[in-house]
Amino acid sequence: MERSTVGDYGANYGTVNPDYGSPAPAMAAAPAANMYGPSAPPPNMFDTVPGYEGTLAGGGGGYLPPPMPSVPMPAPEQPPSPDWHIPSISEDRAREAFAAYVSSKCCYSSAPVKDGVLTNMESFNTYRYRLETFTESRSTEWSQEPYAGQPVDAGLQPAPGPWQIAAQPPAFFQEQKQTIKVPFTSSVKNCHLCLGNGRSPCTNCAGAGNKVCWVCNGSGNRSGEDRCSHCNGRGRENCTSCSGSGSSQCTTCHGKRQLLVFINLIVKWSIEKDDFVAQDSSGLKVEKLQEVSGKELFKDSQYMVYPVRGFPDVSVAQASERLIREHQGKYAQTSRILQQRQTIELIPITKVNYRWKGKPNFYYVYGNEFKVNADDYPATCCCSVM
C-alpha cells in the first residue's frame, strides 16, 4: 500500500484495499506454457470445462467480470482541504532565467537584459489534473504444447474459477502480466495438424520427395543428347528440405504425435490514466508546456478516491468529479479496481513585461526548469552558419 506522506503544497492520503494481495484461496499456480504451431486446432478438440465455456483457442474471449467483493469495500475518505498556496517567482529569478536564455542564443544581444526595465510580472498558472486507476483483469485461452509425459489432471476434480486462482500481484501502479496454467484442465489429444503421425508432408516438394531438376528443367538432357549430370538424366532431383523422404517433423507436436491441451489464465495489471489540463490564458503556445514539468500540489491515493474539493480553478474540481465517476463506472465492469490515485500539478507561467529603448516587450518564464520563451526578442542580428 502507499504510505501517507506530506509534501510542500498538499498531502498524500492512502487507504488499504482489503482485497489486494489476497485475491483467492491458496491455489498453487502451475508454470506458464507456450503455444506451438501456426495452425489453430478445431473447436471440438477441447473439452467442456465448467466456468470456462467461453474460452477460445489463442484468446479473444474477452475479459472476465470479477465477482462481487466478499467484504464491504471502504468508502472513499475525503481528505482535508489543503492550503492551495500558489508559488510565484521573484524578479531576480526571472532576470536570471532571461539572461541564461539570451546567452544561449548566438545572435541575441545582451543589451535588453542589462538595460531593460522590468515593469510588471503576471502569473498565469496552468493546472494538470491526472487520475490513475490501477486494475487487475483476467482472461482465458486454450493452449497446447507437445505431449512428453507431463501430468494430465483434467476431470480429477472441478477446475477452480478464473478469479479463484491465486496470482502474485506487483506493487501498486506497476504494470505486469502473468500467465498461469489452470489446474485440472490438462488433457492429451492427437495432434490435429499431422493427425497423430508426427510428420507432415514437406511443403517444399508437396510430399513427393523430389522436384524438377533446375539445371535441365526436367528434360534429363543439358544440350542436345548430353545427359544432365546434375540429375543423372532423371529430370528430377531429391528435395533437400526433407532429404527425399517427402515429409518433415510436424511443427506443432514436434514429432510427439500428441498434444497436451489446457487452459491458460492471463492476469494483467494495468494503469488506466486520464489527464485534464485547465485552459491557459497567458498567450504562451500550449505545445511549449510539453517541454517542462510542473509542481505537484496535491496527491491522494486510496482504494477509491474522493473528488477534489475547494480547488481555486473550478474546472479542475469538475474534471476530478467527472473522471472519477467515469473510471469507476467503466473499469469495474471488466476488472477489479485495486487502487486509485489523483494528482494536481501546477505548471507555473509568468509573463514578464519590460521596456527597452522606450518600447514595451515581454517574455515568458515557465515550468520547474524556468524555461524562457521570447519569440519577439528586440535585439537580434542576422547570422549564418557556414
Side-chain angles (χ1 to χ4, degrees):
M1 62 174 286
E2 293 199 0
R3 299 294 182 183
S4 174
T5 59
V6 179
D8 294 334
Y9 294 93
N12 305 337
Y13 304 93
T15 301
V16 175
N17 179 351
D19 270 1
Y20 190 70
S22 56
M27 176 65 67
N34 296 323
M35 178 73 78
Y36 289 82
S39 177
N44 59 6
M45 180 175 176
F46 304 117
D47 300 328
T48 299
V49 180
Y52 293 87
E53 289 82 1
T55 302
L56 304 176
Y63 290 108
L64 305 167
M68 294 296 293
S70 57
V71 295
M73 292 294 100
E77 179 182 327
Q78 183 174 3
S81 296
D83 178 15
W84 300 112
H85 171 69
I86 307 302
S88 59
I89 66 172
S90 64
E91 291 186 12
D92 289 342
R93 191 68 188 85
R95 290 181 185 276
E96 291 173 7
F98 193 34
Y101 169 78
V102 171
S103 65
S104 68
K105 304 291 185 179
C106 65
C107 299
Y108 282 22
S109 167
S110 61
V113 177
K114 298 176 180 177
D115 304 328
V117 178
L118 193 151
T119 55
N120 76 306
M121 296 169 55
E122 302 173 80
S123 293
F124 297 91
N125 300 305
T126 297
Y127 304 104
R128 181 185 291 127
Y129 172 82
R130 173 170 293 168
L131 175 64
E132 298 170 282
T133 297
F134 185 56
T135 65
E136 176 185 333
S137 58
R138 298 190 173 204
S139 60
T140 57
E141 65 179 14
W142 279 104
S143 299
Q144 63 192 37
E145 62 184 24
Y147 179 62
Q150 302 95 312
V152 178
D153 57 9
L156 296 181
Q157 68 180 66
W163 286 94
Q164 294 178 314
I165 299 174
Q168 183 60 47
F172 284 143
F173 300 103
Q174 290 188 9
E175 295 192 323
Q176 188 173 302
K177 185 177 180 180
Q178 187 176 348
T179 301
I180 303 170
K181 183 185 290 184
V182 177
F184 309 114
T185 63
S186 299
S187 61
V188 177
K189 308 289 183 181
N190 282 339
C191 178
H192 60 280
L193 191 65
C194 66
L195 304 180
N197 293 316
R199 300 185 69 82
S200 300
C202 176
T203 57
N204 199 32
C205 65
N210 55 69
K211 301 185 299 181
V212 173
C213 175
W214 66 273
V215 176
C216 66
N217 291 323
S219 67
N221 300 317
R222 297 192 63 175
S223 59
E225 300 298 324
D226 293 337
R227 187 173 66 172
C228 177
S229 59
H230 183 75
C231 63
N232 292 323
R234 294 170 52 215
R236 304 187 69 84
E237 59 178 324
N238 283 346
C239 176
T240 55
S241 297
C242 62
S243 300
S245 67
S247 64
S248 57
Q249 186 183 82
C250 177
T251 56
T252 297
C253 68
H254 289 194
K256 301 296 184 181
R257 302 188 178 188
Q258 292 180 311
L259 297 172
L260 183 74
V261 297
F262 51 90
I263 295 176
N264 264 342
L265 173 70
I266 296 91
V267 186
K268 186 177 180 182
W269 292 273
S270 306
I271 302 171
E272 309 296 344
K273 180 175 65 176
D274 276 298
D275 289 352
F276 169 80
V277 178
Q279 187 174 2
D280 169 39
S281 59
S282 67
L284 180 66
K285 294 179 181 178
V286 176
E287 54 267 25
K288 293 291 184 181
L289 301 181
Q290 299 176 1
E291 305 171 356
V292 297
S293 60
K295 177 69 176 182
E296 189 176 89
L297 298 180
F298 175 74
K299 183 177 182 180
D300 175 22
S301 183
Q302 303 185 56
Y303 163 59
M304 294 284 191
V305 294
Y306 201 90
V308 172
R309 303 295 185 194
F311 193 72
D313 190 324
V314 66
S315 67
V316 173
Q318 291 172 344
S320 173
E321 185 172 358
R322 173 177 57 83
L323 291 176
I324 289 173
R325 182 174 62 251
E326 290 178 358
H327 274 223
Q328 293 176 357
K330 179 179 179 181
Y331 300 117
Q333 303 301 315
T334 57
S335 59
R336 174 181 285 166
I337 295 178
L338 302 178
Q339 191 83 346
Q340 287 187 310
R341 179 170 63 194
Q342 59 181 343
T343 56
I344 298 176
E345 184 184 20
L346 166 73
I347 303 178
I349 303 173
T350 302
K351 184 178 181 180
V352 182
N353 297 280
Y354 68 99
R355 296 186 70 85
W356 182 66
K357 290 187 175 182
K359 294 182 179 180
N361 295 279
F362 65 90
Y363 59 91
Y364 294 99
V365 182
Y366 58 100
N368 284 345
E369 298 81 1
F370 299 107
K371 275 188 169 288
V372 170
N373 177 257
D375 289 339
D376 298 321
Y377 190 71
T380 62
C381 63
C382 296
C383 59
S384 58
V385 179
M386 300 302 292

